[in-house]
Amino acid sequence: MKALCANLVILVLGVGLAGCTPDSGGSTIIDGLFNLGGGGQQIDPLLEATAGASAVSKGDFNNDGRMDLVSVSSENQPVQLHLLNSQGAFDLLSIAGGGPLAIMNDVDAADFNQDGRLDIAVLVKDTGFVPPKDVDMPSAVILLIQGADPLDPSDWIWVAPPASCHTTPENPSCGMFLCSDTTGPTDLEIGDFNNDGLPDFAVAASEPKPEGAEEQTPHTFVLVYLNPGAASVTNPTAWNPIGAGAEVLTYSDLAVADVDSDGDDDIVVAIPEARTWNIHWLRNDNNGTTWSPVLIGEQFGGADHLDVGDMNNDGSPDVAVASSAHSLIQWFRSPGPVNLAPGAPQVPWYVYNIGLLDEVQVDEESQGIEFNQLRVLNLDADNQVEVFVTGSGYAYEFQITENLYNPWSGTALFRADPVGELGRCAFHDYSGNGRPEILVPVNRDGLTQDGLYLFAR
């Protein structure tokens, strides 16, 4: 990796890396992986194998006991596995690509057919094919079901809508095909919505505004896809969407949690264009088949990105939300399952400030930010959650102070330099110290200098 030292780009803000931890072409980076201190390590590509890196997810794809990664691209590059080998390096393997896997913006992993092997769900913003009439962009959800050998791309079964859906999307066999506006689908989340032990998924979809409709006509949806059963997972016609939400102009971000503690997964949604009541949860009323929107609260300027986590350790999931309009992060405290039960008064949740980005100093200057990610997780082994956000090429962490109802302490973690967009991250404690490393896809203008990086403290 010596040749790539000049392109090592993940930095702790204010602390430059003195040099690179060398490896021999990707075969012996274990020392660099586990002893970085304050800095980052490029784990892929070693030879510009990735362009438009947009999202990464984790999983043990070859069942060897080591945590691997899967990444997707927004620039017509393949779905790629990054398999951690016994020497501590990630071996790169492309398993699927080309249309309809053209421009992808989210990826996740689950064992959809319960055969003991992890499969992959990909959210495709643009299939690359000609869209149907009156549709801005053809989108899709595509599953890659693992066969006998994860190292053989031909053993990965594509579950994709038929090509004919680009001309006849109304066909009942086109449930995984999405007619999109210029925004396209924005998020994919996995959950078990009908409690059958099989993974389902939900998608935030954005359709074109109907011709002649008023400007404020809702045309976005939360679609839930219930797993058709292990024997039918590979049949794309068996995956049929159920509308869970459709009453707002736009949905941007989803999170899955049992909000009301009744034993099934619900969906929390962010609504960026609404001036009021722009944070909802969708109550799972009947094993994922019917849903009711319930109001949580609002962010001034619109809610862009969110996640759930138990901020006050009371056993109920709370909601953290980021608004780009004012670089503001807040959290909304759950009123508890008794107050969330059907028929109970649904009052707004109490809201508390986490922080403003313009109050976080970066190189002795304050920063505004356009958020593209928010995650709630424990990043420093202190038994309290932190809030991790990215946007405008920067990553930040917010930690609870002595009183969690007061503003939290914000720290700038790292940036992409040269400038680039930080995609959807994954987190895993490779070093075993209780602090998960951050796996960061970085996308820059053009088709080079993109890649997947690991940040450790």
Side-chain angles (χ1 to χ4, degrees):
M1 200 160 146
K2 293 179 180 178
L4 291 175
C5 286
N7 293 328
L8 187 60
V9 298
I10 299 298
L11 307 177
V12 175
L13 287 177
V15 181
L17 285 179
C20 295
T21 302
D23 64 67
S24 58
S27 61
T28 57
I29 69 168
I30 190 166
D31 290 337
L33 186 63
F34 293 160
N35 298 290
L36 286 173
Q41 172 77 45
Q42 185 173 12
I43 63 174
D44 188 74
L46 297 180
L47 296 172
E48 294 291 356
T50 299
S54 58
V56 61
S57 187
K58 67 179 183 181
D60 182 3
F61 292 99
N62 53 359
N63 284 337
D64 64 356
R66 292 184 285 267
M67 188 58 67
D68 310 310
L69 308 170
V70 57
S71 65
V72 295
S73 161
S74 62
E75 292 175 359
N76 246 329
Q77 296 298 304
V79 178
Q80 296 181 321
L81 293 182
H82 312 263
L83 302 172
L84 184 62
N85 63 33
S86 59
Q87 286 75 46
F90 287 91
D91 296 326
L92 179 66
L93 176 68
S94 295
I95 59 170
L101 289 165
I103 298 175
M104 301 169 278
N105 60 351
D106 202 3
V107 63
D108 211 338
D111 185 0
F112 286 103
N113 57 0
Q114 298 292 281
D115 65 351
R117 303 184 183 100
L118 274 182
D119 310 305
I120 298 168
V122 181
L123 187 60
V124 178
K125 181 177 181 179
D126 189 345
T127 66
F129 299 135
V130 175
K133 186 178 184 295
D134 299 325
V135 171
D136 295 313
M137 189 165 53
S139 307
V141 182
I142 295 178
L143 304 182
L144 302 175
I145 305 300
Q146 189 175 159
D149 183 1
L151 304 184
D152 183 353
S154 65
D155 270 357
W156 288 85
I157 302 169
W158 293 36
V159 185
S164 60
C165 295
H166 287 79
T167 54
T168 56
E170 67 280 359
N171 191 304
S173 66
C174 296
M176 301 178 77
F177 184 84
L178 304 171
C179 295
S180 294
D181 62 10
T182 54
T183 299
T186 55
D187 196 13
L188 180 149
E189 297 292 336
I190 290 176
D192 182 4
F193 300 114
N194 56 358
N195 282 327
D196 64 353
L198 295 171
D200 313 308
F201 60 86
V203 173
S206 304
E207 295 190 356
K209 182 166 63 71
E211 185 176 356
E214 297 181 3
E215 186 64 31
Q216 299 300 306
T217 300
H219 52 94
T220 63
F221 307 88
V222 175
L223 303 176
V224 170
Y225 292 78
L226 299 179
N227 194 311
S232 301
V233 159
T234 57
N235 177 7
T237 67
W239 290 90
N240 296 303
I242 296 169
E247 78 286 358
V248 302
L249 287 177
T250 55
Y251 291 107
S252 62
D253 212 2
L254 309 177
V256 173
D258 185 2
V259 176
D260 52 0
S261 301
D262 67 347
D264 54 27
D265 281 338
D266 308 300
I267 303 172
V268 184
V269 296
I271 305 164
E273 291 188 14
R275 294 185 178 182
T276 185
W277 296 119
N278 47 41
I279 308 162
H280 295 183
W281 66 284
L282 304 176
R283 178 189 283 125
N284 187 346
D285 290 325
N286 184 26
N287 287 322
T289 59
T290 59
W291 299 77
S292 299
V294 186
L295 304 176
I296 289 178
E298 63 193 54
Q299 272 201 319
F300 184 55
D304 292 296
H305 294 278
L306 56 73
D307 200 7
V308 295
D310 188 359
M311 307 292 192
N312 55 355
N313 292 316
D314 68 349
S316 293
D318 309 301
V319 180
V321 190
S323 171
S324 295
H326 301 285
S327 298
L328 173 66
I329 307 168
Q330 296 177 306
W331 72 280
F332 293 73
R333 189 182 76 186
S334 170
V338 172
N339 295 306
L340 294 175
Q346 300 296 328
V347 297
W349 299 21
Y350 285 106
V351 58
Y352 305 92
N353 288 333
I354 291 177
L356 282 166
L357 257 298
D358 60 12
E359 295 175 352
V360 179
Q361 293 295 305
V362 177
D363 296 334
E364 300 181 354
E365 295 182 0
S366 62
Q367 296 283 312
I369 191 171
E370 183 175 345
F371 294 105
N372 67 340
Q373 177 173 213
L374 183 149
R375 302 289 289 276
V376 177
L377 70 166
N378 186 0
L379 287 170
D380 57 7
D382 63 352
N383 296 317
Q384 290 183 316
V385 296
E386 284 78 46
V387 170
F388 171 84
V389 294
T390 63
S392 304
Y394 290 82
Y396 302 84
E397 174 190 73
F398 285 83
Q399 295 185 327
I400 295 171
T401 55
E402 184 175 348
N403 184 344
L404 72 96
Y405 301 107
N406 291 336
W408 298 16
S409 173
T411 304
L413 291 180
F414 51 82
R415 65 181 176 184
D417 182 18
V419 174
E421 181 178 354
L422 307 180
R424 299 175 193 249
C425 298
F427 305 82
H428 184 70
D429 182 12
Y430 284 104
S431 60
N433 65 1
R435 299 181 177 184
E437 284 73 46
I438 305 172
L439 292 308
V440 189
V442 181
N443 182 21
R444 296 182 176 81
D445 287 342
L447 301 176
T448 61
Q449 297 191 36
D450 302 341
L452 178 59
Y453 300 80
L454 181 147
F455 176 83
R457 287 184 291 184

